Amino acid sequence: MPAITEPKLISGNANLSLAKAIARRMSMHRGMSQKLVDARVERFNDQEIFVEVYENVRGEDMFIIQPTSNPANDNLMELLIMTDALRRSSAARITAVIPYFGYARQDRRSKARTPISAKLVANMMVEAGIERVLTMDLHAAQIQGFFDIPVDNLYASPIFALDIIHQLRDRLGDVMVVSPDVGGVARARELAKRINAPLAIVDKRREKPGEVAEMTVIGDVSGKVCIIVDDMCDTAGTLCKAAEVLMEHGATEVHSYISHGVLSGPAVERITNSVMKSLVITDSIEAPAPVRNAPNIRILPTAPIFAQAILNIWNGTSVSSLFDNETLSPIYEGIL
């Protein structure tokens, strides 16, 4: 069905730079100016969130760009309150563009008497009036089933594949993709297929959350340029330890490609002092100055793929087509 309304973008405070970049990319694709809807998202003195939309949005196709990253609760509430403001202003459809979906790690009951917070967050979003979700690299793919509305889950691996082919084009024959744990094998295999590389696994055992007791490498990494791939990096303890273990097993270089750079606590210092040659993350979470200034951290843009996905949703065309190199390569031409 052809689009009869214009796509309109509105952003909270979580990642305003990404929202502006998406608007710029959409302007390029459409050949016309695409700006963020004029609004204010502020806090009262007691930290209550207040939203006011200055433009008419009646009957419009609205896209709220708001990752629920740190501070997760504040950014989640901003998303819900913006949704309520748009719904009460008679927007035709509200799509939440959530580059990083917070609470995704709480996707099951790992112990007795624990919550499934990801399901609770999904219920809150639907109840607030969100009619569609666009996100990237959910921690667990089954979270899509927590929603009773359409969820489009984009993948960073096609972007990573393009970057690896560009950065390591002279040594692709020596590249080996490594999963930092058994649970991430499917994600690592997907990237390995895209660059036609073999796969290894680092098996880790935890004594308690945040601490890794033992690591074993499954596969021969000697003489290989190892690419660790994962969906998120928090304190970077596991990532740095995995890089050390790979180097001890004969790897010539270790690079890491992580979809979401949470990078809390001592993460940046650990990465700067680690044996990793580079850590590559996306801009799904707005990077603070220490991350941007770190010598061995690079940030890949997600605005091109999100802009095209938003346009495809607005036009009613395929979002999964963006997973193919033939479709994605022109979007990222001249960027990577």
Side-chain angles (χ1 to χ4, degrees):
M1 182 181 295
I4 57 174
T5 60
E6 290 294 305
K8 287 200 170 184
L9 309 180
I10 188 170
S11 176
N13 296 313
N15 198 338
L16 195 55
S17 57
L18 175 58
K20 290 177 179 177
I22 291 172
R24 286 195 299 271
R25 292 295 303 188
M26 288 178 64
S27 298
M28 291 173 58
H29 291 322
R30 301 186 68 203
M32 59 187 293
S33 178
Q34 179 80 55
K35 295 181 179 179
L36 297 177
V37 167
D38 190 15
R40 65 171 174 145
V41 184
E42 298 177 350
R43 280 165 178 73
F44 294 128
N45 290 334
D46 63 355
Q47 298 306 302
E48 280 188 10
I49 295 166
F50 176 73
V51 173
E52 184 177 5
V53 181
Y54 293 126
E55 297 180 24
N56 180 25
V57 296
R58 183 180 297 275
E60 301 288 0
D61 197 357
M62 300 300 303
F63 294 84
I64 307 173
I65 302 170
Q66 177 80 343
T68 51
S69 49
N70 184 36
N73 298 334
D74 287 0
N75 290 331
L76 176 59
M77 279 304 296
E78 280 190 11
L79 173 61
L80 298 176
I81 293 172
M82 282 190 290
T83 301
D84 189 69
L86 295 174
R87 181 172 61 85
R88 294 177 187 277
S89 303
S90 302
R93 180 176 66 171
I94 302 170
T95 300
V97 182
I98 311 173
Y100 170 72
F101 189 94
Y103 284 102
R105 283 177 279 188
Q106 300 182 49
D107 63 314
R108 63 191 183 281
R109 294 189 68 188
S110 54
K111 296 177 182 177
R113 297 175 297 282
T114 57
I116 305 178
S117 303
K119 171 59 176 169
L120 173 63
V121 169
N123 289 347
M124 291 166 65
M125 289 182 180
V126 173
E127 189 65 26
I130 290 169
E131 296 167 68
R132 192 181 194 102
V133 171
L134 174 63
T135 186
M136 174 174 276
D137 272 344
L138 285 169
H139 184 65
Q142 65 265 24
I143 291 175
Q144 294 173 85
F146 291 178
F147 290 87
D148 292 324
I149 56 175
V151 177
D152 293 303
N153 184 29
L154 300 178
Y155 298 102
S157 61
I159 306 171
F160 290 164
L162 292 175
D163 187 71
I164 292 168
I165 291 168
H166 175 70
Q167 297 289 332
L168 302 173
R169 53 187 173 275
D170 299 327
R171 294 180 291 165
L172 283 176
D174 297 327
V175 169
M176 174 172 272
V177 176
V178 180
S179 172
D181 53 46
V182 175
V185 170
R187 182 181 295 105
R189 187 186 295 120
E190 167 67 18
L191 179 61
K193 283 181 180 178
R194 288 182 179 275
I195 61 175
N196 195 27
L199 179 66
I201 303 168
V202 176
D203 181 34
K204 65 184 179 185
R205 296 182 184 179
R206 291 184 186 270
E207 293 294 331
K208 57 183 178 180
E211 293 184 10
V212 179
E214 181 184 349
M215 282 190 167
T216 306
V217 178
I218 303 172
D220 184 11
V221 299
S222 58
K224 296 291 186 179
V225 177
C226 289
I227 306 290
I228 301 174
V229 59
D230 207 353
D231 67 312
M232 70 173 67
C233 174
D234 193 347
T235 59
T238 299
L239 192 64
C240 293
K241 182 77 182 294
E244 290 175 12
V245 171
L246 291 169
M247 292 296 286
E248 289 169 4
H249 281 72
T252 57
E253 287 180 12
V254 178
H255 303 265
S256 295
Y257 281 76
I258 308 295
S259 304
H260 308 297
V262 178
L263 303 180
S264 59
V268 174
E269 183 181 355
R270 283 175 174 171
I271 292 161
T272 302
N273 298 327
S274 75
V275 298
M276 271 189 298
K277 190 162 185 183
S278 70
L279 168 66
V280 181
I281 59 176
T282 73
D283 60 356
S284 62
I285 297 172
E286 188 154 33
V291 174
R292 296 195 304 270
N293 297 333
N296 57 344
I297 297 179
R298 285 194 299 118
I299 302 174
L300 298 182
T302 56
I305 191 170
F306 273 111
Q308 190 62 58
I310 289 170
L311 287 173
N312 287 9
I313 290 171
W314 170 61
N315 281 315
T317 54
S318 171
V319 172
S320 61
S321 63
L322 297 174
F323 305 157
D324 299 328
N325 277 5
E326 293 78 10
T327 309
L328 196 62
S329 295
I331 298 173
Y332 274 87
E333 192 171 351
I335 297 175
L336 300 179

